[in-house]
Amino acid sequence: MCSRTECFPKSSRRSLSVLCTLPVGYRSLELMSLRKTLPAFAFATRDRSFVFSTHHGYQRSVQALHSTKTNTQEEHVSFSNNISIDFEQTKEAYKSKDTLELLRSLVVFKLCTYDILVDKNKEIIDLSRKLLGQKMFEQFMKMTFYGQFVAGEDHQSIRPVVQKNQAYGVGAVLDYSVEEDLSQEDAERKEMESCMSTSEKESPGADHREKKFTAHRKFGDRREGVTSARTYFYADEAKCDQHMETFLKCIKASGGSSEDGFSAIKMTALGRPQFLLQFSEVLVKWRRFFSFLAAKQGKDGVEVLEQKLDLEQLQICLARLGAQGNIQSCFSDGRLHSSGMVDMLDWNSLIDERTKISNLLVVPNLQTGQLEPLLSKFTEEEERQMKRMLQRLDVLAKHAVENGVRLMVDAEQTYFQPAISRLTVEMKRIFNTDKAVVFNTYQCYLKEAFDNVSMDVELSRREGWCFGAKLVRGAYMYQERSRAAEIGYEDPINPDYECTNRMYHRCLDYVLEEIEQNKKANVMVASHNLDTVKHTLRRMNEMGLAPTDKKVYFGQLLGMCDQISFPLAQAGFPVYKYVPYGPVNEVIPYLSRRAQENRGFMKGVQMERDLLWKELMRRLASGEVFYTPAF
């Protein structure tokens, strides 16, 4: 348990230590070193003689491996002068598909536009299973929806799909997409149990937690209103170990079936989500307090990395607020990036040195003038559960390195994401020293997306590791907006689609500029938006970035947007399909929700349907009806 009179840690920077023992066969954790490595996670908290107090009123309301750069400038010039991709050339776009696959795509895309079929898909699936029997039902699914969007049942059966795509230049991001088929009531019950600490259960409301970072039964079923993202609910530690084993098999399958492949993981599958909620709240409150102090020095409203506090003025300001101690001792020994100035990354380094997990969960209390624990009680079992989550992450990252696979950490809801992003940065510090192995996902529909991207890029510059990012628009918009409105906090989502597009392109441009200046950065443009793809190509042209540099990757879902993926691949760009796999019956919840949540998208793929018809007619006219892809 943390002391309520705990102060800032001492000035000497050191790695967080995590002395924990893994289950038999696992490796020791080296993950939460909020600086270099995490040799251990048993720690003695170091006190600093600095506490502060003040008043209320300070709140303020979006992959890839490393690769070598091209050897000559002439290669860049040649690329810059000659890049031209025709996304309507159907013969090239669909050369990996036989005619039956074209017909299947047309049928599936069309069926997804009928509201009655989508709304009643669960009932239709159940009826079909009864009428056809299990064996014929599975065969029917493999001929239609499952066959369109899922590669196979296990790592052996997915190989033909993965290898065929690879023969045409398209790699794989493997994702074992099995979901537990829970009722809404069971999902809500599990979420409430796993997101509440012992302290909250024993004394509800006593810890004054923020509403955003506490569990709410109405939003306990995190599957509701989610677009194309599988969801995990915590059952127990044994189940988390099973999820880790599944991810390990996925990493092994990726290493065995696809060169330079990716494997996707979700942190909520690897531990009790209570810790992600609590650590996210801590990180957000520390960031808010820095912004409050920046406003005191007239730095409010500027870009986050431009908020630089004069150290002497900071000391005076904190003293006026009732603080005790010397803030300058916290940033001694040349620890500041800019002499005499403290920016957000310098400020975040203070929490880097918290040692015990329970000691990480401390926040500034502006009434008492102390750093206080977020929870009045943090049990030893809760401490062990949090350590195990970090251990599992460490095991996965090491396994990815051993198998030559990149690890893509999926984004999740905003009340989990600050912790997920922070833990992913810790993995990058350890495993991205020579090349980008670990990639974080940035959701560009968030208002703070650019701040998140720019801070992580700057941190990678300062510390010398390889930045890896996947940029997406986002999967939780409807759920996030509904939850914010119901519970009563600021909507974290951009106001409209155009704002999200601008945010996506702004984040993308920033990373591309970093790639131009520092070849250690990598980005996956995970988008079905043709305008975004064309924007990327145009910016690469302007910067002289060649596809052979393999710093900019493109990603689309299996079974969709082949007219984008394959022309890009044939032009030499690194392209990846997000490849779900798993047994038919266990993937159906995932497919069912995808049909429901993507009906609007399916109605909008008129261009893709037109191109499929165009290619089908071309084959009929040219006598290529029985065309078979060669690979």
Side-chain angles (χ1 to χ4, degrees):
M1 183 183 304
C2 301
S3 166
R4 283 192 174 272
T5 60
E6 187 175 12
C7 307
F8 280 105
K10 290 184 179 178
S11 61
S12 61
R13 172 165 295 190
R14 63 183 180 85
S15 301
L16 286 184
S17 296
V18 187
L19 292 175
C20 40
T21 303
L22 286 162
V24 176
Y26 292 176
R27 298 187 175 214
S28 61
L29 170 69
E30 295 175 355
L31 217 198
M32 187 99 180
S33 122
L34 294 158
R35 191 60 189 150
K36 289 184 180 177
T37 65
L38 278 178
F41 208 40
F43 2 51
T45 306
R46 296 189 168 189
D47 294 332
R48 281 185 196 264
S49 57
F50 176 74
V51 293
F52 53 85
S53 65
T54 182
H55 309 287
H56 288 94
Y58 68 87
Q59 280 192 326
R60 281 177 64 190
S61 299
V62 161
Q63 307 176 50
L65 176 68
H66 82 297
S67 43
T68 57
K69 66 179 181 178
T70 50
N71 295 324
T72 64
Q73 183 64 31
E74 287 73 16
E75 232 178 305
H76 282 221
V77 173
S78 173
F79 164 75
S80 182
N81 290 337
N82 294 316
I83 183 171
S84 177
I85 299 177
D86 184 355
F87 292 105
E88 297 186 15
Q89 225 298 342
T90 61
K91 182 176 180 179
E92 295 302 313
Y94 299 112
K95 66 191 302 183
S96 69
K97 307 291 183 185
D98 62 35
T99 303
L100 284 177
E101 288 176 301
L102 296 182
L103 287 169
R104 181 183 67 192
S105 297
L106 282 166
V107 170
V108 169
F109 289 163
K110 186 62 178 177
L111 288 175
C112 286
T113 65
Y114 293 114
D115 288 341
I116 189 169
L117 295 179
V118 175
D119 290 334
K120 301 294 183 181
N121 78 84
K122 184 171 175 50
E123 291 85 350
I124 292 171
I125 287 172
D126 291 340
L127 179 61
S128 299
R129 187 184 284 112
K130 290 178 182 178
L131 293 176
L132 298 174
Q134 185 62 35
K135 188 174 182 179
M136 287 188 64
F137 170 75
E138 289 188 8
Q139 188 60 37
F140 171 75
M141 290 298 294
K142 289 179 179 179
M143 292 171 60
T144 54
F145 293 91
Y146 181 94
Q148 181 70 21
F149 299 117
V150 183
E153 299 200 52
D154 53 39
H155 65 273
Q156 292 296 332
S157 61
I158 67 175
R159 283 194 174 190
V161 172
V162 172
Q163 289 175 353
K164 182 174 76 168
N165 284 347
Q166 192 170 23
Y168 290 93
V170 176
V173 181
L174 295 191
D175 179 24
Y176 191 69
S177 297
V178 168
E179 289 187 358
E180 192 176 2
D181 194 7
L182 295 173
S183 68
Q184 180 177 339
E185 183 180 353
D186 286 341
E188 291 173 352
R189 176 181 54 79
K190 284 192 172 188
E191 186 74 353
M192 295 302 293
E193 289 176 355
S194 63
C195 287
M196 294 182 68
S197 66
T198 300
S199 174
E200 291 172 297
K201 291 174 183 176
E202 292 179 353
S203 305
D207 292 316
H208 307 292
R209 299 282 306 284
E210 283 198 15
K211 291 180 179 179
K212 179 176 181 177
F213 299 102
T214 54
H216 296 266
R217 184 170 294 277
K218 182 174 180 179
F219 300 95
D221 188 351
R222 288 183 278 110
R223 301 168 299 183
E224 197 70 28
V226 174
T227 305
S228 301
R230 69 210 182 288
T231 305
Y232 293 92
F233 293 94
Y234 180 85
D236 51 39
E237 292 299 293
K239 190 68 173 178
C240 293
D241 285 337
Q242 290 178 21
H243 291 153
M244 185 190 72
E245 292 296 336
T246 298
F247 289 145
L248 288 173
K249 291 177 182 177
C250 188
I251 290 169
K252 185 176 180 180
S254 183
S257 62
S258 176
E259 184 181 352
D260 293 341
F262 284 90
S263 187
I265 66 169
K266 294 196 89 163
M267 283 201 191
T268 49
L270 298 172
R272 193 181 185 97
Q274 168 196 334
F275 174 59
L276 297 177
L277 278 172
Q278 293 164 350
F279 194 29
S280 291
E281 183 172 355
V282 168
L283 293 169
V284 167
K285 285 183 174 179
W286 278 70
R287 183 166 166 173
R288 280 185 192 155
F289 185 66
F290 179 85
S291 297
F292 164 73
L293 296 172
K296 291 291 184 180
Q297 294 193 20
K299 303 293 179 63
D300 193 24
V302 302
E303 297 288 355
V304 63
L305 287 175
E306 296 303 316
Q307 290 182 329
K308 298 179 180 180
L309 311 185
D310 180 85
L311 195 53
E312 292 185 4
Q313 291 184 35
L314 178 60
Q315 179 69 63
I316 295 170
C317 178
L318 289 170
R320 287 174 179 169
L321 294 172
Q324 303 173 16
N326 182 9
I327 183 64
Q328 297 186 40
S329 66
C330 300
F331 299 104
S332 61
D333 304 323
R335 294 176 55 189
L336 294 177
H337 177 67
S338 179
S339 180
M341 304 296 287
V342 179
D343 66 11
M344 181 70 80
L345 297 179
D346 297 321
W347 180 259
N348 285 344
S349 70
L350 293 175
I351 205 171
D352 283 359
E353 295 180 8
R354 314 299 301 179
T355 52
K356 198 172 183 179
I357 291 182
S358 54
N359 294 337
L360 283 173
L361 302 181
V362 294
V363 294
N365 185 314
L366 301 184
Q367 293 177 306
T368 64
Q370 299 165 355
L371 284 180
E372 293 187 348
L374 188 67
L375 305 174
S376 58
K377 181 179 181 181
F378 196 79
T379 67
E380 289 185 7
E381 177 57 26
E382 287 173 327
E383 180 96 16
R384 285 192 293 269
Q385 289 173 351
M386 303 315 131
K387 290 177 184 178
R388 292 186 195 119
M389 175 185 283
L390 302 177
Q391 292 168 350
R392 294 178 187 115
L393 286 170
D394 188 63
V395 169
L396 292 172
K398 287 178 178 176
H399 203 70
V401 171
E402 290 167 2
N403 285 270
V405 174
R406 279 76 59 85
L407 205 59
M408 190 172 287
V409 181
D410 284 350
E412 304 195 43
Q413 287 86 349
T414 53
Y415 42 91
F416 292 139
Q417 193 57 43
I420 291 171
S421 293
R422 185 56 172 264
L423 295 177
T424 304
V425 164
E426 304 315 319
M427 294 169 70
K428 290 180 180 181
R429 281 170 161 162
I430 300 166
F431 299 103
N432 285 17
T433 53
D434 298 320
K435 61 184 180 182
V437 173
V438 179
F439 283 69
N440 195 19
T441 302
Y442 297 88
Q443 300 185 103
C444 295
Y445 66 6
L446 297 179
K447 295 173 182 176
E448 63 178 21
F450 182 78
D451 286 349
N452 295 335
V453 170
S454 60
M455 283 197 296
D456 285 357
V457 167
E458 175 62 22
L459 188 63
S460 72
R461 279 193 208 121
R462 294 184 189 182
E463 298 183 351
W465 43 266
C466 299
F467 178 78
K470 178 177 77 168
L471 299 183
V472 301
R473 279 173 171 77
Y476 307 97
M477 183 178 72
Y478 300 110
Q479 183 188 104
E480 292 276 13
R481 282 193 163 147
S482 177
R483 190 177 189 271
E486 178 72 20
I487 295 174
Y489 57 87
E490 183 184 357
D491 183 356
I493 308 297
N494 287 319
D496 54 47
Y497 187 71
E498 285 309 311
C499 286
T500 293
N501 280 343
R502 288 193 292 271
M503 180 65 78
Y504 193 108
H505 291 175
R506 186 185 183 197
C507 293
L508 175 59
D509 287 346
Y510 189 86
V511 180
L512 290 176
E513 288 165 4
E514 177 65 13
I515 293 172
E516 181 185 21
Q517 298 168 16
N518 174 10
K519 297 300 182 181
K520 299 182 78 170
N522 306 259
V523 64
M524 174 174 280
V525 183
S527 178
H528 290 180
N529 187 305
L530 185 57
D531 289 338
T532 292
V533 172
K534 290 181 177 179
H535 174 86
T536 308
L537 300 180
R538 182 170 60 253
R539 295 292 287 136
M540 289 181 71
N541 266 333
E542 293 169 358
M543 297 178 185
L545 300 176
T548 50
D549 289 342
K550 293 187 177 179
K551 294 297 183 182
V552 182
Y553 301 76
F554 294 90
Q556 288 84 36
L557 294 171
L558 182 71
M560 300 179 71
C561 290
D562 287 349
Q563 79 279 6
I564 293 177
S565 305
F566 287 90
L568 282 170
Q570 290 157 30
F573 290 90
V575 181
Y576 290 82
K577 285 290 192 182
Y578 210 88
V579 179
Y581 71 101
V584 175
N585 281 332
E586 297 181 53
V587 174
I588 281 177
Y590 173 79
L591 287 175
S592 175
R593 219 173 52 256
R594 170 164 287 173
Q596 290 178 326
E597 292 147 8
N598 285 297
R599 77 179 77 195
F601 181 82
M602 291 300 184
K603 288 178 179 178
V605 294
Q606 186 62 49
M607 177 183 176
E608 187 165 357
R609 297 205 303 270
D610 288 346
L611 292 174
L612 285 164
W613 272 115
K614 180 180 175 182
E615 174 59 13
L616 188 59
M617 294 301 103
R618 188 197 67 77
R619 291 186 186 182
L620 286 171
S622 61
E624 298 179 45
V625 176
F626 301 106
Y627 167 79
T628 302
F631 66 96

